[in-house]
Every structure is written in C-alpha cells, then in structure tokens.
Amino acid sequence: MNDITRTTNDKSYDVETEVQSNTSLTPQRAHLQLAIDGMTCQACASRIEKVLNKKPSVYDVSVNFAGKTANVDYDPTQTTPEQVAEWVNKTGFVANLQVGESLFERTDKVTATEYPWRLIGLWVCLVPFLVGMAGMLTGFGMAWMPPVWIQFLIATIVQFGLALPFYKSAWASIRGGLANMDVLVVIGTVTIWAYSTYLWLTHGDGTLNSLLQDAHMGGYGAGNSPAVYFEAGVMVIAFVRTGKYLEERTKKHSLNSIDLLLSLTPDEVEQQQSNGDFHNVALQNVQVGDILRAKQGSRVATDGMVIGGNGWCVESHLTGESVPLKKEEGDGLLAGALVENGSLLYRVSAKGSDTKLGDMVQALSDAQGSKANLARLADRVTAIFVPIVVTIALVTFGVTWWLTGMVDTALMHAVSVLVIACPCALGLATPAAIMAGMGVAARHGVWFKDAQSLEAAGDIDTVVLDKTGTLTIGKPTIVDHVMVDKSLAVDDVLQIAASVEAHASHPLATALVNTAKNRNLPLMSVTDISVIKGAGIQANIEGLGLIKVGTAEFAHLTLPKFMPKAWQVASTVAVSINDEPLGAFALADDLKADTPQAITALQAAGINVILMSGDKQSVVDYVAGKLGIKAAYGKMSPRDKASQIAKLQTAGHKVAMAGDGVNDAPAMATADASFAMFEGTDVAQHSASARLMGESLMHIDAAQKIAQATLRNIKQNLFFAFIYNCIGIPLAAFGFLNPMIAAAAMALSSISVLMNALRLTRFKTEVELDNTVSNTNIDAERLSNV
C-alpha cells in the first residue's frame, strides 16, 4: 500500500496511519486479567511472574501485589485463559478470570461485612501475655504472667492453628522456588516456640509435677527457672497479622478507586411497567430498551437516552468536571451520573460492562494492574531479599553466641532480624502509589493506559499541541468564501465539497457537511475515495470528475495576496474539479474558554508549550500570539509533526503530544507521552497513552501534575522502604530490638507506605478548583429551572 494514500469504495473506510500503536494485539496475541487471592508480599507476585514467564505460550506477565491482579498477554492458539489460571493455582494461589461483568459483580462482595475471626482469635490469645507484660512494667514482676504450661498451650494453638495461613503461604512460596515474607515469620516464630518448649520440657526432673509447679515463669526467667519466650512468638504473629489486615483494608477500601466507581450505580431502579406505573426492580434484571426513572439525588443506573423530563446531572466520575450539565429530551445519560436537580425518564442503551462507566472500570483495572519501570528495581531487590536476610540472621546468631556465650540472646537477635526485614514495604512502594495516582487521575477525567504512561507523563518538559479540536472548540463555521468559477453558485460548490468531506473526520470537514445540511443541500454519491494525509481528500463524482477538497495547494488554487483579515486568521478549504479550482471557504474556530488558562498553567509549571498544526502559518501565528506560545509551526504534515517531536527527543527533551485527529496519531505514537482529546478519533485514542474525558485543556495540566505527584510518592515510598531495612536490620542484629518490637515496626513500615500513598487521594488540581467556581456561576440558571 502506498505510504501517502489509501483508496476504497467503502464509505466506512479507515485512514491508515504511518505509525501503528505498540499496544495492538494481533490474532496470535490475546490479553486477560486475573484476580489473585493469597498473595502476601511482593515475592509472591514475583513468583507468579517467574512461573508464567517460563511458559512458551505466555508473552508478558505483570502481577500487581497491591491490586491483587495479574495482566497476562498470551498466545490463544497455544493455551486458554483457564489454563493460565490453572498454572497460577498450581503455585499455591487462587486465580479467577477477571472480565467486565465480574468486576461489576464484585459490588456485593465489597459492601458485605467480613469479620476477621482469625485476627480476633489471635488477640484473644495475646491478652494474657499483655496482662503479664503490664505487670512487669508496673513493678509486679512475673506475678501477672500465666503459668508456663498455659503459655505453652496458648502459643501452640497460635503457632499451629491460627497461624496456619503463614505456613501454607511459606510452603507454597518455597515450592515455587522463591521465599516470601511468610517464610521469615514462620522460621522466626517456630524457632522461638521450639526453643522455649525445649527449655520448659528439660527443666526440673521431667515429671508432670515439676512442669506445672513453676506457676510464674515468664520470658525473663524466675529464680532458677529457664527463660522462655512464648509471648514473643504470639506477639510477632499477632502484630504481623494485624499489619496485614490493616494493609488489606487500606488497599481495598481507600486505594482502590474501582470499588468506588462500582458503588456509583444503584442496586435498585425505578422501572416503568406496561401500564405506566413505576416499580422498584433489581438493576441486574434491567434490559436494554427498558424505561427507567432517575429522581433528584439519585444516580443514573445505565447509559441511556432521555425521553422525558429534564434536570441537571453531574458526570464528574467520568469527565473530571463537576459542573452540572442540563439534560433534556434527546440528550444522552451516563451510568453513575448524579441527578442534582429535576427528574429524568430515560431509555436504557447499555448496562453493566457495556456502559461508559464499565469501559472506565476495565481500563482502570488494566492500568492499575500494570507495572511502572520504577517497580522493576524493587522486584530485583525482593527476588534476592529473603535469602540474604536468612543469611544475615544466621551470621547474627553465630556471632552473638560466640561473643556472649548466651544462646537465648543470640536466638532473639537472629529472630528480630528475620521479623523486621519484611519486604512488604518494598513491594507496596510502587503499586500502592500507582493505584492511588490512577484513581486521582480518573477522578480528574484522565484515563492513563498503563503505569508506564503515567510515569512518562510525570517526566515531560515539553507539550506539543494540535490546534483544531485541541486548543479550539473544534466546531468551525464558514465566515467567508471566494469563487473562482463565477458560473457556479456558492451553494453548488458547498454541495460538491460537502459530498466529498462527508467521508472525512476532520472538524473542518464536519463544518462543511453540517452547513450543507442546514441549507438543505443533498449530498451526492462519490466513489474512489482517497485521503492524502496533511493535504485533503479526493473522490470521483459521476458527471463531474475528480473532486479535490483540502489545502489551496492541493486544489491548485492560488489566493490573492491581499485578502480580508478573516482569511488571515481562518482556515482555508479549497475545492477543485479535475484540478481546476472552483473556490475556497474560510472557516474560523473559537478557542476553548479555558485554553489561555491551561497554557498559562503549563508554562508556570516549567513546561515548554509548542503549537504544531497543518493549518497555514498565518492562522497558527495568530492563535499562538493570542495564547503567548512562542514556538508555532504551520503547514505541518503528520510526518513533519512526528519528525519534529523526534528532533526534540534527540535534544534531550521529554515530549508529550495532545491531539484529536487521525493526522495526530503518528506524532502521538512518537512522543514519550500522549493525550487524546475528548471525542477524538478512534485512531488518536488508540495511539495515545492517556485519554482526556473532559473537553477542557486543563486536563493535560492536571494529568502532568498528578503524574509528577505520583512519581514523587513512589520515590518517597522506595526511600522509606530501603532506609527502614538499612536501619532496622543492624539495630535488630545488635540487640536493640526484640522480636515483638521488630514485628510491630515491620507492620508499621507497610502501613506507613500505604498512608503515604493515600496522601495522593487528597491531591487536587486547578480543574477541581475551577469547577467549584463554575458551580457557583451556574447556580442561578439551575434555580431558574426549578
């Protein structure tokens, strides 16, 4: 196929772009997402990746420990999703296929109350030891500590009953060829239990009476009694399990924006019956075509079309713009929208995973499950972390025993090293921040394709913007015309141009077609359609010949040097028949209301803004001058834009491209990060690393700021995790931390990383601040309709 044109007789032709998206899946490459249960730390995620990567039918695997998901690209001709899930199950975890509908089915499970019975049991067993330690702290010594035989019973119940999940996870981890944090916990606590049991059983003459007579032997010994440490093992298990529980709740209810999105649709809706009455029915029983009612204060349950009533809806969950939109008969509704005022009757057009909300949930789920480049550093460390820690613990035990001659002291130091050196914080550092950052971005109407896209957006220093549809509203109108062939009326030339432009997707083409329709000009049949990228479109009309519509050069039209001012600041669309020019139209497009504010915000953040457009240089210069953009390039073909971006990258710049048309796709694919504008073409959205769901250009500024904040958060988390282990392990090795304190500190490290990531959820940008102002300005109009 020719690199410049593509010809077809089909009116629904697609335009070929010069650069294909690197995320497209061929027939031999399919994608699936698995929900993984049973992961306890990053080492678990690494083990699953290691197992699946060994399969020849698997291309790529990314397991997100924080999100409990696995994204897998595989060859569908060699394996099936069920087989991939079975491979994961054989490693000791539970994998479930994650599809759009299954995500929505999770709502009931999320809202259900789950009581942590095992954790409650652990703390009940811990109470006697806490009472005994309180007695020690208040001067009563061992008086409040339970007898050793009771300590033994409690510790045994905890060690081999309530702590059973630790053993299962540790064994599965070792069987899979890696060691996770549960291996460290099991080694440490079972060593404490075994050592304490040995001392207790070998004390005295070995009779039952001698085992029971020491009523108050505690962890520090009493008289000639041996020092036992049953309380240490119980506390370690209780603290670690508590940390895991808090960690899980934080990830599930605070970091995971998917659950928040799923909760936006109501469980029951008002459905109109055949007699006109409304009855409450379960949302799952609603079908496409049904008529539903949404009252003030309720949520729209499905995508649909308003067929009665009117009101104001907030669609901030998808667009990031909390400005209420007026909805009347014929307007579309989105699932999850809040009816702030009025009452709406609407016909269901899509439900569940087929809605725009469903698309967002799946996109966010895939994105949160991806892995940023920064995460690979943590992966490499955690892969060798546990064996190194075990080695350090053995060395600590040996050296301490040699120096002090006290085996119990050496054992406590070694166990403290095992317990405090948990890789959980390291494994959570990146995915927790990514989950939070993705959720914040979605709240602002920015849908990042994956973690790498968010990471790239945070590093940009240059933004390249298209003009039409990006800086401008994208709805140009004809402001002037000039006719070369005086024998033809303006409407005749418009009819010819619109007939050909009906097969193009550019805003200028849409403007000509809409104007023709408004003037009741019927469109003629065309054949042999060809798109010349960056120039225009041509086709044959029977009885007329070859029609060319596009730039003046493309239509072989030379405009006079001195034209009215409108032509200097407007886009030109020329028309010719058989290379004989007929005339041209001048189309002007207004800037979006907040475009100047967005450009100012980007420049204030140190971002170099560049304008590149296929429009003539005079128009580009005019727009750039109004916006304060210093670098502006006109008459740029798609290849020119991509080449210019490549030059900027060669000079060391990190470049983002924002556009909405087919012609922007090559440049968007070349850039480090790219943003497809709201309602942009499918090609542009497919090439982009992020989609902007709102029409405001401020979303680009929000995306860049959110990405930067997420990267800062990731680096902070990694720093905390590394420093924590660098400080904690030596302190434990030298005896400054006992196992109980080490366990509490280990749990605190994971929670601190999650709390730091949670700070991102409170991140606000100028988009939200502006929406607050907009809400105030719109109140008068809304109230007038009450």
Side-chain angles (χ1 to χ4, degrees), residues 460-467 470-471 602 607-613 631 633 636 641-642 644-645 648 654-659 664 667-668 671 673-675 700:
I460 62 173
D461 57 32
T462 303
V463 171
V464 174
L465 301 173
D466 179 43
K467 180 180 70 69
T470 303
L471 296 177
L602 287 170
I607 304 295
N608 181 32
V609 180
I610 299 175
L611 174 57
M612 293 186 189
S613 174
Y633 302 90
M636 298 283 283
K641 292 180 182 179
Q644 188 64 33
I645 289 175
L648 290 168
K654 298 294 184 180
V655 185
M657 170 70 190
D664 299 321
M668 294 170 77
S674 51
F675 303 99
I700 296 179

Side-chain angles (χ1 to χ4, degrees), residues 395-418:
V395 171
T396 299
F397 176 79
V399 172
T400 305
W401 191 7
W402 177 62
L403 291 176
T404 65
M406 302 172 64
V407 66
D408 54 345
T409 300
L411 182 63
M412 289 301 102
H413 289 191
V415 170
S416 296
V417 170
L418 290 174

